[in-house]
Amino acid sequence: MSEYFNVADIFGENVFSDKVMQERLPKKIYKALHKTIDEGKELDPMVAEVVAEAMKQWAIEKGATHYTHWFQPLTGVTAEKHDSFITAPRADGTILMEFSGKELIKGEPDASSFPSGGLRATFEARGYTAWDCTSPAFVREDAAGAILCIPTAFCSYTGESLDLKTPLLRSMQAINTQALRLLKLFGNTTSKKVTPSVGPEQEYFLVDAEMFEERKDLIYTGRTLFGAMPPKGQELDDHYFGTIRQRVAAFMKQVNEELWKLGVTAKTQHNEVAPAQHELAPIYAEANVAVDHNQIVMQTLKRVACQHGLKCLLHEKPFAGVNGSGKHNNWSITTDDGINLLDPGKTPHENVQFLLVLACILKAVDTHADLLRESAADPGNDHRLGANEAPPAIISIFLGEQLEDVVAQLISTGTATSSKTGGVLQTGVRTLPDFAKDATDRNRTSPFAFTGNKFEFRMVGSRDSIASPNIVLNAIVAEAFCEACDELEGAENFEEAVHDLIKKYLTEHQRIVFNGNGYSDEWVAEAERRGLPNIHSMVDAIPTLVTEKAIKLFGKFGIFTKAELESRVEIKYENYAKAINIEARTMIDMASKQIIPAVIKYTKDLADTIIAVKQAGVDAPVQTELLAESSDLLSDTKVALAKLIEVTDTAAAMGEGREQAVYYHDVVMAAMSELRAPVDKLEMIVDKAVWPMPSYGDLLFEV
């Protein structure tokens, strides 16, 4: 039996939390810091000095020898530079452990070495990390020892954002300002702050580490570029919510303990649909904290997996033929005094404030569906979206029967007089309790679904930061709130004006509502008829960032400047091209050095067998047929390999930008598929002992 422990005893023990600050900071300093956190007041340098000293002492007691400004550049992963607390030796040879307010507030990583999309010349190196005091510092324990990690924003010397945190915080300010305006229209003068709350569900695969090391494609790209389906996949639905294997359970136990110590509210764990696929979900947190926590979750999954002889795969589509991994982004808006603006109450038709919020969100999503789609664009997600395992690439909103009925009433008559209720679920078994059921079912095919008191954005890729979708959600809803308030604040008859506006928004944007099967061909045709965008790939989505509409939206609230948006477009095209180039060259390497030599050996051995059999006076029709089939496929492989080499070299020689990214998508990806086809057929013929890498069956079922 494992040693008993109480989660409450370890939860947050490695976090410089509000409780720790209360215990270690003078009351005056604690209150001043909270004014910055809660009200956005400017941070006093003297306050920072006291906080830094307390933080240092706390971290040292936890065993920390170094600190780092932990930030999220435009690389898709976090970054950090470690500095020790030691100072220069004194005359007597001893040292002091120091950490100043200046060191807490500001760091200076080399900005030229991170993606900037032209915002910085390569010779201009200075950039700054700035302490985000709204996200608590924490001590991370790993092979490097204990490190004090300070969440920060990252900006260039000239002030442009070079990260994901800065625009996220800007978007949170925007929705706070506009939501408070909306609440005041309904007489709310007590709520002082409105914050977007997020709960991201993290999906991932686990494979054996030794098998992982035998697959160059997994090592270099995070996904399998070759691989034939095993006899069994996910068709029996027996892995989903099934009993967790002991090796995986031990891994999950350690992951939970590590996350709880860091204040991450890991709540749910289970097997997902595909073999070797799992999910971890936390409780909601404020958006910027949730973004930081999700990065901690992904890092912890990878680190702990290695300690259990496993590898964690966060790619959106590590295996063809089975479900890929996503990250459902559950988003809501709550006030500092506990009001959820997305809670419809028991009688939604009477809740005018909720109906206005709902109408604004429909307007926001319909107006900026292209931006929301782009926020989930990723090379890996191109393999997943619209593949009957994830939402389609067409943005629509699922409201459910109850709200759809209320919306229909408002559109047709301008008023809603009733709301459907859930009733009682009767099982027909006397010993089972009858219980109240929800007023609506759920729809797993919807990319943006209302699920009771929140919206679930289901398109986000499993390895991506959730910052981008939440920046867009916050921004587009802030704009809709702003426009509604502009119209209502001067109204002579507010009650009449708000009802008219709700009807107007719902009528003009009802096309975005769809409660049916998003996987059906009929929906694709219907969406086209409605005029909804169907953006199939990342390279098609990227231009939406710099439309006149997008530049106006982000500029209005100071979330992105035009230059910052243009830089992100350049970075995204470059990242896409590099990702596909790495995949293509990995395929070339594997086919040239592993697969073709293995097949040649197999065919040679087969030819030798045929000669030996015939010399014994016996025909060898089966061996002869296998030799012919494998030789033909080997020839196809060689032709496809030559073509892939040619188009990859052509792509690499092109100038960076949209043209190159489109060429990788249209031409190189097609050539990759052409090479994979004969190789996967060969895998089903060639002796397993000769095949140079673990199969799908090995990877998916040997954990």
Side-chain angles (χ1 to χ4, degrees), residues 362-374:
L362 263 61
K363 177 180 187 291
V365 173
D366 186 28
T367 303
H368 296 289
D370 54 348
L371 274 181
L372 201 53
R373 166 67 179 91
E374 194 286 325

Side-chain angles (χ1 to χ4, degrees), residues 372-379 381-382 385 464 537-538 541-542 572:
L372 201 53
R373 166 67 179 91
E374 194 286 325
S375 74
D378 175 89
N381 235 5
D382 281 359
L385 296 179
D464 288 342
S537 70
M538 179 178 174
I542 292 171
K572 286 174 180 283

Side-chain angles (χ1 to χ4, degrees), residues 352-353 355-356 359 410 497-507:
V352 180
Q353 179 179 292
L355 292 174
L356 178 59
L410 289 165
V498 72
H499 279 87
D500 289 347
L501 188 63
I502 290 170
K503 180 180 179 180
K504 175 186 175 186
Y505 282 1
L506 295 178
T507 302

Side-chain angles (χ1 to χ4, degrees), residues 442-639:
R442 291 193 174 186
N443 187 329
R444 64 182 296 271
T445 71
S446 175
F448 198 72
F450 185 76
T451 54
N453 60 1
K454 57 184 172 62
F455 276 99
E456 183 179 31
F457 184 43
R458 302 179 65 249
M459 297 179 79
V460 186
S462 54
R463 61 180 166 172
D464 288 342
S465 168
I466 58 170
S468 292
N470 286 295
I471 291 167
V472 172
L473 279 171
N474 295 342
I476 65 177
V477 174
E479 180 187 60
F481 284 173
C482 178
E483 291 174 356
C485 291
D486 287 345
E487 192 160 336
L488 294 173
E489 282 171 345
E492 293 183 8
N493 185 329
F494 172 73
E495 186 174 338
E496 184 178 309
V498 72
H499 279 87
D500 289 347
L501 188 63
I502 290 170
K503 180 180 179 180
K504 175 186 175 186
Y505 282 1
L506 295 178
T507 302
E508 291 177 351
H509 302 286
Q510 60 182 307
R511 68 172 186 167
I512 199 70
V513 177
F514 178 66
N515 285 355
N517 179 9
Y519 291 161
S520 68
D521 293 336
E522 290 79 10
W523 167 234
V524 176
E526 171 63 16
E528 184 177 0
R529 186 192 67 78
R530 295 186 187 189
L532 298 177
N534 186 359
I535 302 173
H536 296 282
S537 70
M538 179 178 174
V539 293
D540 294 328
I542 292 171
T544 66
L545 285 172
V546 285
T547 61
E548 183 178 342
K549 178 182 63 172
I551 292 169
K552 180 181 176 183
L553 163 73
F554 290 122
K556 179 176 183 177
F557 300 108
I559 297 170
F560 288 117
T561 64
K562 183 180 179 182
E564 287 172 333
L565 288 171
E566 290 171 341
S567 73
R568 278 152 177 78
V569 166
E570 185 175 322
I571 290 168
K572 286 174 180 283
Y573 281 136
E574 183 180 345
N575 286 347
Y576 182 87
K578 287 179 177 178
I580 306 305
N581 183 65
I582 291 169
E583 290 187 352
R585 295 203 178 279
T586 300
M587 289 189 84
I588 291 167
D589 186 83
M590 293 174 71
S592 301
K593 298 177 181 178
Q594 293 180 286
I595 294 165
I596 289 177
V599 178
I600 290 173
K601 181 181 185 306
Y602 170 76
T603 54
K604 181 180 181 301
D605 291 346
L606 198 55
D608 291 343
T609 301
I610 293 170
I611 293 170
V613 169
K614 287 186 174 181
Q615 285 176 344
V618 181
D619 289 336
V622 174
Q623 295 94 321
T624 302
E625 184 179 338
L626 283 173
L627 179 59
E629 184 179 1
S630 54
S631 296
D632 287 345
L633 287 170
L634 179 59
S635 177
D636 293 343
T637 299
K638 188 68 177 70
V639 171

Side-chain angles (χ1 to χ4, degrees), residues 230-506:
K232 179 187 176 186
Q234 63 189 51
E235 59 270 26
L236 294 180
D237 299 322
D238 54 343
H239 189 259
Y240 190 53
F241 279 28
T243 302
I244 298 170
R245 296 181 182 180
Q246 291 300 290
R247 187 179 181 187
V248 175
F251 157 81
M252 287 181 171
K253 178 178 182 293
Q254 186 178 345
V255 166
N256 285 330
E257 291 174 12
E258 297 280 347
L259 292 177
W260 290 333
K261 290 178 183 178
L262 293 171
V264 179
T265 53
K267 173 75 173 175
T268 302
Q269 61 187 32
H270 62 83
N271 289 347
E272 254 298 333
V273 173
Q277 187 184 33
H278 312 279
E279 181 178 296
L280 181 154
I283 299 171
Y284 286 73
E286 292 190 3
N288 64 314
V289 175
V291 168
D292 288 353
H293 280 183
N294 186 245
Q295 291 290 344
I296 292 172
V297 166
M298 291 190 287
Q299 292 170 0
T300 303
L301 288 171
K302 283 183 166 289
R303 178 168 53 83
V304 174
C306 293
Q307 297 171 16
H308 289 259
L310 300 167
K311 285 289 184 177
C312 175
L313 307 181
L314 293 175
H315 194 284
E316 289 77 18
K317 194 70 173 178
F319 302 99
V322 298
N323 278 17
S325 296
K327 182 148 47 188
H328 296 179
N329 187 88
N330 296 281
W331 179 87
S332 63
I333 328 168
T334 55
T335 68
D336 56 335
D337 49 356
I339 302 169
N340 183 346
L341 273 63
L342 292 180
D343 186 354
K346 294 183 179 179
T347 53
H349 66 285
E350 298 176 337
N351 191 340
V352 180
Q353 179 179 292
F354 167 76
L355 292 174
L356 178 59
V357 169
L358 180 67
C360 286
I361 291 175
L362 263 61
K363 177 180 187 291
V365 173
D366 186 28
T367 303
H368 296 289
D370 54 348
L371 274 181
L372 201 53
R373 166 67 179 91
E374 194 286 325
S375 74
D378 175 89
N381 235 5
D382 281 359
H383 299 284
R384 175 177 163 265
L385 296 179
N388 286 10
E389 63 178 70
I394 305 165
I395 296 287
S396 64
I397 294 179
F398 170 79
L399 292 180
E401 296 174 12
Q402 184 187 57
L403 290 185
E404 188 179 37
D405 177 62
V406 172
V407 167
Q409 292 179 57
L410 289 165
I411 291 173
S412 61
T413 66
T415 58
T417 57
S418 64
S419 298
K420 291 183 177 180
T421 57
V424 175
L425 182 69
Q426 297 177 334
T427 63
V429 180
R430 292 178 182 176
T431 55
L432 296 179
D434 294 334
F435 53 83
K437 65 177 181 178
D438 294 310
T440 186
D441 203 347
R442 291 193 174 186
N443 187 329
R444 64 182 296 271
T445 71
S446 175
F448 198 72
F450 185 76
T451 54
N453 60 1
K454 57 184 172 62
F455 276 99
E456 183 179 31
F457 184 43
R458 302 179 65 249
M459 297 179 79
V460 186
S462 54
R463 61 180 166 172
D464 288 342
S465 168
I466 58 170
S468 292
N470 286 295
I471 291 167
V472 172
L473 279 171
N474 295 342
I476 65 177
V477 174
E479 180 187 60
F481 284 173
C482 178
E483 291 174 356
C485 291
D486 287 345
E487 192 160 336
L488 294 173
E489 282 171 345
E492 293 183 8
N493 185 329
F494 172 73
E495 186 174 338
E496 184 178 309
V498 72
H499 279 87
D500 289 347
L501 188 63
I502 290 170
K503 180 180 179 180
K504 175 186 175 186
Y505 282 1
L506 295 178

Side-chain angles (χ1 to χ4, degrees), residues 109-131:
D110 186 345
S112 68
S113 299
F114 291 101
S116 71
L119 287 174
R120 303 287 287 150
T122 54
F123 63 85
E124 296 173 323
R126 195 179 297 279
Y128 298 114
T129 48
W131 177 34

